[in-house]
Amino acid sequence: MRSVKRMYQRLLDGSSNDEEELDILHPSTNQTIQRKRPDGSGQQTYTVEEAVEHMGFGKFQISLTFLLGTFTFSDACEMMLLAVLSPVVRCEWQLSPYQVASITTVVFAGMLIGSSVWGTSTDRYGRKVILFLVAVWISYYGYLTAFSPNYYWLILLRFLVGFGIGGAPQGFTALSEFLPSKQRAKLLGSTQVFWALGTCFEVFMAFLVIPTIGWRYLVGFSAIPLTISLLAFRYLPESVRYCMAAGQQDVAVETLKRIAKENNTTLPPGELVKSVELPRGKFVDLFTKEYARTTLHLWFLWFAAAFSYYGLVLVSSEVLEFDSVCGAMEEWSKNSKEDGICFCQLLSKSDYVTIILTTLGELVAIPMNVLLVDAIGRIKLLVLYFFLFAMFICFLLICSNRIFLTFTVFGIRAFSSGIFNIVYIYTVEVYPTTVRAVGLGTGSSMARVGAMITPFVAQVLLVYSVNYAVFVYAGVSVIGLLLAATLPIETRGRPIKEH
């Protein structure tokens, strides 16, 4: 559940000291605040936030969730594609472990660069047009990847796909702007279902397509869901906040009227006015006396979350490809060195079934988060997830049957997904509104660094020694456990600060 309960408390001011004031009830705090009139006319006014709260949750938000959920679904397809594609291209082009790992690394390098470019562009040109360009970009270069004539073209095109995926989170942000505070946490958390369904869909497609018509068709099919979503883009509204900032008040009002109509409700009385923006935080604000220790801990936790999650997505296909838990991978590597050839082994149909079953572990993490995040708190839940992840990853050292291996990887996927979700929730809750974006941005950057490094453990070190690779992941998890346990602030039941 990648969400938190947010509280709005806007300080509203006017242009002169003698302006008339209006007492209003704040929707999330139930406290009365005073808004000064923009002039002395006495006319009622309301902000975007107040309009969203007043109109509540309904058909509009549900439709928007499914439309923007396609970005999460497609993002998951592209990420899972890396795991099922690696064994095939390794065999077809006789790639070394370093070359295979680089296919994944360049995607995250593209995401790291693309996220800042797309993020800046949305502030300048609006969310709708940028999301449309992101969808076109990912689809276009996704289709081109299917025609890659060699490894180097594949690397370039996957980097460009990653650059586009860097803009996909803007859909998550756009959705949050239309959700009332009461339902925001639950609905944003439920979008994790789209990710889990996307990963399962990709593996199922690989099961059907790769053994029959080949990996190139799978790459092309993976770009179809986002292409289909382009047909529904005319129903996607522009961000009302952006419209107000850009001076397009008429467009903003029309969008709010559409929400009211679809939700069978009405707009608040009065005139729509621009919300007073809080000052933006700076990087140095993360290192104040109150937050410096938290920031340093969170940076590693973000790194560990991505390092563990994406690494084990890749490990799951690697251990199945070579049945490495019983030493087969090391034997393949040794024989390849002696014979001077590249080793490869395609996934079998039973391997694909196992990957689908283990991927369902991510669906288990969603209700676990919902039940435990408030029951035991964020810090204790993080400690629990890191402990269980370390324990289950060590189970890979046991030479066992397929049932035990499936159970092990299922648990690993569930707990690594849970770590990612709780780290996100904690980060949003612990920082005040003015520096929350900076905190999330730096944390996300650390996550991408972890994702860029992990392929060289999951697809290079693992080949030479399963024990060493397992110890690396377990070691990172133990460090994460200790840092999580010593976080100075527990955010359960703690009001979110504005400044």
Side-chain angles (χ1 to χ4, degrees):
M1 176 177 136
R2 299 182 177 180
S3 58
V4 296
K5 185 179 181 180
R6 296 182 180 176
M7 300 170 65
Y8 292 108
Q9 177 98 28
R10 298 287 185 180
L11 298 178
L12 304 163
D13 53 10
S15 58
S16 64
N17 294 329
D18 59 351
E19 291 172 334
E20 184 181 356
E21 295 182 351
L22 172 68
D23 290 341
I24 61 173
L25 185 66
H26 195 277
S28 61
T29 62
N30 291 325
Q31 295 177 351
T32 299
I33 63 175
Q34 288 189 327
R35 169 181 298 159
K36 295 182 179 181
R37 307 290 186 184
D39 52 40
S41 64
Q43 181 182 1
Q44 285 185 305
T45 60
Y46 62 90
T47 63
V48 172
E49 292 84 359
E50 291 163 1
V52 171
E53 294 292 339
H54 177 83
M55 292 183 292
F57 180 83
K59 179 181 176 182
F60 174 84
Q61 283 82 4
I62 295 174
S63 301
L64 190 63
T65 299
F66 279 95
L67 174 58
L68 294 177
T70 58
F71 280 88
T72 303
F73 184 93
S74 300
D75 192 358
C77 287
E78 294 294 344
M79 291 296 102
M80 198 64 202
L81 175 64
L82 299 172
V84 296
L85 186 64
S86 297
V88 188
V89 295
R90 187 204 310 267
C91 291
E92 181 169 328
W93 289 332
Q94 298 292 289
L95 302 179
S96 69
Y98 285 97
Q99 289 176 311
V100 174
S102 297
I103 297 174
T104 302
T105 297
V106 296
V107 173
F108 288 103
M111 291 173 63
L112 184 62
I113 298 172
S115 59
S116 60
V117 175
W118 296 116
T120 302
S121 299
T122 55
D123 291 336
R124 179 174 298 180
Y125 303 108
R127 300 202 189 283
K128 182 174 183 178
V129 64
I130 294 303
L131 284 173
F132 181 82
L133 290 176
V134 165
V136 171
W137 184 288
I138 297 174
S139 301
Y140 177 72
Y141 287 107
Y143 290 127
L144 282 185
T145 302
F147 298 96
S148 301
N150 54 49
Y151 168 76
Y152 299 102
W153 270 104
L154 179 67
I155 286 288
L156 173 61
L157 292 171
R158 293 320 290 174
F159 171 82
L160 292 172
V161 170
F163 183 87
I165 294 175
Q170 296 301 324
F172 188 86
T173 304
L175 175 61
S176 67
E177 294 181 349
F178 291 100
L179 298 177
S181 58
K182 187 176 181 180
Q183 288 82 18
R184 185 179 299 114
K186 293 181 180 179
L187 195 60
L188 290 180
S190 68
T191 58
Q192 181 65 19
V193 173
F194 290 100
W195 180 278
L197 292 177
T199 55
C200 291
F201 172 81
E202 186 65 26
V203 179
F204 180 70
M205 290 298 297
F207 169 78
L208 296 177
V209 173
I210 289 181
T212 54
I213 54 180
W215 66 269
R216 296 180 185 275
Y217 284 92
L218 175 65
V219 174
F221 292 157
S222 300
I224 291 178
L226 200 55
T227 304
I228 294 176
S229 72
L230 290 172
L231 302 176
F233 251 79
R234 60 175 178 164
Y235 300 106
L236 179 66
E238 181 55 89
S239 165
V240 182
R241 289 179 176 84
Y242 168 78
C243 291
M244 293 299 292
Q248 302 173 6
Q249 183 171 351
D250 292 342
V251 178
V253 171
E254 287 301 316
T255 300
L256 293 176
K257 287 181 179 179
R258 171 188 165 188
I259 299 174
K261 181 179 179 181
E262 293 189 21
N263 287 359
N264 195 26
T265 184
T266 60
L267 284 173
E271 179 185 358
L272 177 64
V273 295
K274 185 178 179 181
S275 304
V276 175
E277 297 182 1
L278 294 172
R280 292 189 178 184
K282 300 178 182 178
F283 179 78
V284 294
D285 294 335
L286 299 176
F287 294 93
T288 60
K289 183 178 180 180
E290 183 178 2
Y291 294 108
R293 180 178 163 189
T294 299
T295 295
L296 293 176
H297 283 218
L298 277 176
W299 280 3
F300 184 85
L301 293 178
W302 274 98
F303 173 91
F307 183 83
S308 302
Y309 175 80
Y310 290 110
L312 270 298
V313 168
L314 298 174
V315 165
S316 62
S317 65
E318 294 289 322
V319 297
L320 291 172
E321 182 183 358
F322 295 99
D323 194 19
S324 64
V325 292
C326 294
M329 182 176 289
E330 291 92 334
E331 188 66 25
W332 275 92
S333 178
K334 179 180 177 182
N335 294 338
S336 298
K337 289 180 180 178
E338 293 175 354
D339 298 336
I341 60 174
C342 175
F343 63 94
C344 69
Q345 174 98 351
L346 295 177
L347 294 173
S348 65
K349 290 187 176 181
S350 62
D351 293 335
Y352 287 118
V353 173
T354 300
I355 294 177
I356 292 175
L357 293 176
T358 56
T359 301
L360 295 176
E362 296 190 30
L363 289 174
V364 173
I366 298 174
M368 285 176 60
N369 290 341
V370 173
L371 295 174
L372 297 178
V373 70
D374 286 323
I376 66 175
R378 283 65 166 154
I379 292 178
K380 290 182 180 179
L381 188 55
L382 265 180
V383 170
L384 177 64
Y385 280 160
F386 273 118
F387 172 77
L388 292 174
F389 176 84
M391 181 178 70
F392 270 72
I393 191 68
C394 289
F395 287 167
L396 290 178
L397 299 176
I398 302 174
C399 182
S400 58
N401 56 30
R402 178 57 66 96
I403 295 177
F404 183 80
L405 177 61
T406 302
F407 168 75
T408 298
V409 180
F410 181 94
I412 290 172
R413 293 292 293 270
F415 300 130
S416 61
S417 176
I419 290 171
F420 223 137
N421 291 338
I422 302 304
V423 168
Y424 181 90
I425 291 173
Y426 182 87
T427 303
V428 175
E429 289 181 329
V430 76
Y431 289 119
T433 300
T434 51
V435 296
R436 188 173 301 129
V438 179
L440 278 173
T442 55
S444 180
S445 297
M446 292 302 298
R448 290 189 175 98
V449 171
M452 290 169 61
I453 295 174
T454 198
F456 293 97
V457 178
Q459 295 178 312
V460 178
L461 181 60
L462 186 76
V463 170
Y464 296 102
S465 173
V466 174
N467 291 351
Y468 289 161
V470 168
F471 290 153
V472 168
Y473 285 112
V476 169
S477 183
V478 171
I479 295 174
L481 183 154
L482 296 175
L483 292 178
T486 54
L487 282 168
I489 303 172
E490 170 58 71
T491 60
R492 180 179 62 164
R494 176 177 178 263
I496 296 177
K497 298 181 179 180
E498 292 292 340
H499 299 278

